[in-house]
Amino acid sequence: MGNEIKIFEQKQVRSVWDEKAEKWLFSVVDVIAILTDSSNPRNYWKVLKSRLSKEGSQLVTNCNQLKMKSADNKFYNTDVFDTEGILRLVQSVPSPKAEPFKVWLSKIGYERMQEMADPSTAIDRAREIYKKLGRSEKWIQQRMSGQETRNKLTDYWSDHGVEENKEFAILTNIIHQEWAGISVQEHKQIKNLKSQNLRDHMSEAELIFTALAELSTRQIAETEKATGISANTKAAKQGGNIAKQARKQLENKTGQNVVTSENFLPPGKQLTQIKNKN
């Protein structure tokens, strides 16, 4: 299974495609947040879940948990439903968004079938989403290229004894800390981000240096045949350091920081440019 982010009216829904069962699983709390606009969707779901349980609802019985990335960039057990469960959940939550959400959910299922028949449609669809969010063609190209580099690195980790989710997150943070001089979480705080994906709010330069760090890490790991978290930690530090040296050279030439607070949040939430720690 792979964690993904789906977008409904520019709001995120954490999702997982179950390869064996061939179905989507969606974060219940994310769906509740969309349907209710609640300031505390987790508590809303807790109360609703208790009421449905007392009523003997089969919906609660069918609720499962999966590890999904939270706003602090860590993975936690999260209540999930498949499409059928989400549709039944929608019926239990009074909301003017119920019908458009049902249409969106049906579209997600149809799009997955298209992607299985022709994987290139997934790439095209991602491009369209970024365009709708106002990203430039140049930025989109860099984002897609960086994702391909990222996928090759995680494929290597998967094949060489690195545990998905927890250890992936540890290595990713090491690489980021090395090249940027700050952790992933600190970078998100600088950009005023919470649950948003950091890479979706990076500048073109930040995307390029992230890709350089991950490309260097993979090639070093391949050369040294790194296996397990310890050996790959060493490769991560070395790969990140290569990008760090390149970043410093560029900053010395231009007098501008590569890491900035720039983001794609709505106007009024932008922050000023910051200075790297090292």
Side-chain angles (χ1 to χ4, degrees), residues 145-165:
S145 176
Q147 188 60 51
E148 183 178 355
T149 299
R150 168 70 179 177
N151 290 344
K152 288 180 180 179
L153 175 59
T154 55
D155 285 346
Y156 179 87
W157 286 343
S158 293
D159 294 337
H160 291 81
V162 177
E163 183 181 337
E164 191 169 352
N165 294 338

Side-chain angles (χ1 to χ4, degrees), residues 169-222:
I170 291 172
L171 292 175
T172 298
N173 198 59
I174 289 173
I175 295 170
H176 199 89
Q177 182 79 52
E178 285 294 322
W179 87 256
I182 54 177
S183 68
V184 171
Q185 190 58 36
E186 288 172 328
H187 201 161
K188 290 186 70 172
Q189 290 173 352
I190 287 168
K191 288 183 177 290
N192 199 28
L193 305 177
K194 294 181 180 179
S195 61
Q196 298 91 341
N197 185 307
L198 174 60
R199 297 182 194 224
D200 284 345
H201 288 267
M202 282 184 174
S203 66
E204 183 186 356
E206 289 172 317
L207 287 171
I208 289 172
F209 280 96
T210 298
L212 173 60
E214 294 188 332
L215 173 67
S216 300
T217 295
R218 176 173 60 82
Q219 292 190 344
I220 290 171
E222 289 174 341

Side-chain angles (χ1 to χ4, degrees), residues 45-218:
W45 169 232
K46 181 180 179 181
V47 173
L48 177 60
K49 189 176 182 180
S50 176
R51 177 172 66 79
L52 292 173
S53 181
K54 291 178 181 178
E55 294 174 355
S57 172
Q58 191 67 26
L59 182 63
V60 176
T61 304
N62 294 334
C63 185
N64 295 309
Q65 286 195 331
L66 289 175
K67 284 190 177 296
M68 287 185 163
K69 187 181 290 187
S70 189
D72 60 4
N73 215 38
K74 296 180 181 179
F75 287 81
Y76 299 99
N77 284 328
T78 305
D79 284 348
V80 296
F81 283 137
D82 59 14
T83 302
E84 181 181 352
I86 291 295
L87 288 172
R88 293 177 64 186
L89 174 68
V90 172
Q91 294 175 342
S92 302
V93 180
S95 171
K97 296 181 181 179
E99 288 308 314
F101 189 82
K102 289 179 184 178
V103 173
W104 175 83
L105 204 58
S106 298
K107 184 180 179 184
I108 292 297
Y110 173 68
E111 288 175 350
R112 183 63 188 186
M113 288 189 290
Q114 285 184 312
E115 291 170 7
M116 292 174 69
D118 181 6
S120 66
T121 59
I123 298 174
D124 293 338
R125 190 162 290 115
R127 287 182 179 277
E128 286 303 313
I129 290 174
Y130 286 131
K131 284 182 181 179
K132 290 178 180 178
L133 292 174
R135 309 299 195 265
S136 68
E137 285 291 345
K138 190 175 183 180
W139 185 93
I140 293 172
Q141 181 60 38
Q142 191 56 55
R143 179 71 175 90
M144 302 298 285
S145 176
Q147 188 60 51
E148 183 178 355
T149 299
R150 168 70 179 177
N151 290 344
K152 288 180 180 179
L153 175 59
T154 55
D155 285 346
Y156 179 87
W157 286 343
S158 293
D159 294 337
H160 291 81
V162 177
E163 183 181 337
E164 191 169 352
N165 294 338
K166 182 180 179 180
E167 292 183 347
F168 276 25
I170 291 172
L171 292 175
T172 298
N173 198 59
I174 289 173
I175 295 170
H176 199 89
Q177 182 79 52
E178 285 294 322
W179 87 256
I182 54 177
S183 68
V184 171
Q185 190 58 36
E186 288 172 328
H187 201 161
K188 290 186 70 172
Q189 290 173 352
I190 287 168
K191 288 183 177 290
N192 199 28
L193 305 177
K194 294 181 180 179
S195 61
Q196 298 91 341
N197 185 307
L198 174 60
R199 297 182 194 224
D200 284 345
H201 288 267
M202 282 184 174
S203 66
E204 183 186 356
E206 289 172 317
L207 287 171
I208 289 172
F209 280 96
T210 298
L212 173 60
E214 294 188 332
L215 173 67
S216 300
T217 295
R218 176 173 60 82

Side-chain angles (χ1 to χ4, degrees), residues 2-20:
N3 284 269
E4 296 187 22
I5 296 292
K6 297 298 180 185
I7 305 295
F8 173 79
E9 295 183 352
Q10 298 193 7
K11 292 185 178 180
Q12 297 183 346
V13 181
R14 288 170 294 170
S15 315
V16 171
W17 175 253
D18 187 333
E19 295 285 353
K20 293 183 179 179

